[in-house]
Amino acid sequence: MQIGSVQLYLGHGHLFLGATSSVDLAVFDGDGPVTATEHHVRIAARPQVGPVRVRLWQGAGPRVGKLVFDGPLKLPDAKFCVEEGSGLSRYVTKVTSHCPRVLVAVDDPGHASRVEIVFEPEFVPRSAQVWTAGEPPFPKLTVSPTAPRHRADAFADALSGHDFAHRRLAAALLVVAEERRQRNSEQIVAFYINDIVEWLRWLNDRLTYEMCRDTGRQLLSQLGLRSPNLLAADTLNDLQRRLGHPLV
């Protein structure tokens, strides 16, 4: 599941991933799309032309782009840092291990603008790891053949982006409907709907919290009465009508 994301504007074409300790730049004096030590990975990325997006996943994550690093990184304080090459900007998050196995994939080796990081891909050895195929907009996932995929994981995958908004919303609503049927817990359903409300807000800068909150209430009242696919389509059409122009 996704545990974090950050966008950084790079002054120089280097992105450092790994321990929160200072990076020994003398070690990273070479060129190339990626170099690594036991503590850090250097990724060659696009400087001064646009943001570089980094997403972090625990256990299972998307298999997109080119895998450029697969190995352990020593994190003395069990914190993982994403840092701009000059050290002016950084993002730090807590992880579950002091020496996790880390997968790093980029969209364009040598000129990365999208970076996907997966920590501890289900704790399975390389020989046992499998890549499961997903249908658009959902990418292939790094998973274990023995580790179960829970409904919460499927829900998080559905709302991990905003492309193919209708398909993502329909997939999320399918999970919520199944959660209500299986567990009969309105508290859990309300929790999921709140997450959908927050996701809707990012579809367009002009969408307000009040608009999305009202939409969430409508979803809660219609859930189970209509198919997730139709409910998702009507929800997005209604938001677009209230906004007065296309969502994207």
Side-chain angles (χ1 to χ4, degrees):
M1 63 179 295
Q2 186 172 348
I3 60 172
S5 66
V6 63
Q7 289 191 151
L8 297 177
Y9 288 84
L10 306 187
H12 304 279
H14 304 289
L15 186 70
F16 291 98
L17 314 171
T20 55
S21 57
S22 59
V23 177
D24 184 1
L25 296 178
V27 178
F28 296 100
D29 58 356
D31 295 324
V34 59
T35 51
T37 67
E38 63 180 5
H39 293 286
H40 298 98
V41 177
R42 179 196 64 84
I43 299 295
R46 300 186 310 156
Q48 302 181 12
V49 292
V52 175
R53 185 188 70 185
V54 182
R55 297 193 299 178
L56 301 97
W57 307 77
Q58 179 70 44
R63 188 196 185 193
V64 293
K66 175 69 174 178
L67 187 67
V68 295
F69 178 81
D70 179 354
L73 285 177
K74 292 184 178 180
L75 310 175
D77 55 2
K79 293 180 180 178
F80 188 86
C81 179
V82 179
E83 185 171 4
E84 190 264 342
S86 63
L88 295 178
S89 301
R90 57 168 22 198
Y91 169 86
V92 178
T93 188
K94 188 78 172 178
V95 294
T96 58
S97 170
H98 290 272
C99 190
R101 179 183 169 200
V102 180
L103 307 182
V104 180
V106 302
D107 58 344
D108 189 2
H111 306 278
S113 58
R114 298 178 181 87
V115 182
E116 305 287 350
I117 302 169
V118 183
F119 300 102
E120 300 289 12
E122 302 296 4
F123 303 96
V124 294
R126 290 172 179 81
S127 60
Q129 183 174 311
V130 297
W131 300 100
T132 60
E135 296 180 358
F138 310 113
K140 296 179 180 180
L141 294 176
T142 307
V143 299
S144 162
T146 57
R149 292 282 291 162
H150 300 288
R151 284 191 292 273
D153 297 320
F155 182 83
D157 292 341
L159 301 188
S160 64
H162 287 82
D163 56 335
F164 300 94
H166 173 255
R167 292 185 183 180
R168 289 186 179 278
L169 181 55
L173 291 174
L174 181 63
V175 172
V176 180
E178 183 66 14
E179 191 74 18
R180 171 181 274 177
R181 188 181 71 84
Q182 292 282 351
R183 302 181 65 177
N184 194 29
S185 171
E186 292 305 309
Q187 183 177 3
I188 293 176
V189 169
F191 176 84
Y192 279 127
I193 293 296
N194 283 337
D195 277 356
I196 290 175
V197 167
E198 292 300 319
W199 177 83
L200 289 171
R201 295 179 66 189
W202 290 87
L203 287 173
N204 190 287
D205 291 342
R206 295 179 61 187
L207 285 174
T208 66
Y209 172 71
E210 288 75 16
M211 294 169 65
C212 296
R213 181 190 58 191
D214 291 344
T215 298
R217 290 170 177 167
Q218 294 174 15
L219 286 174
L220 198 57
S221 66
Q222 293 293 313
L223 191 66
L225 302 178
R226 310 180 64 195
S227 72
N229 190 56
L230 290 177
L231 187 54
D234 286 348
T235 296
L236 296 176
N237 287 336
D238 181 64
L239 277 177
Q240 183 168 289
R241 178 186 58 78
R242 296 169 65 188
L243 198 60
H245 60 78
L247 288 173
V248 293

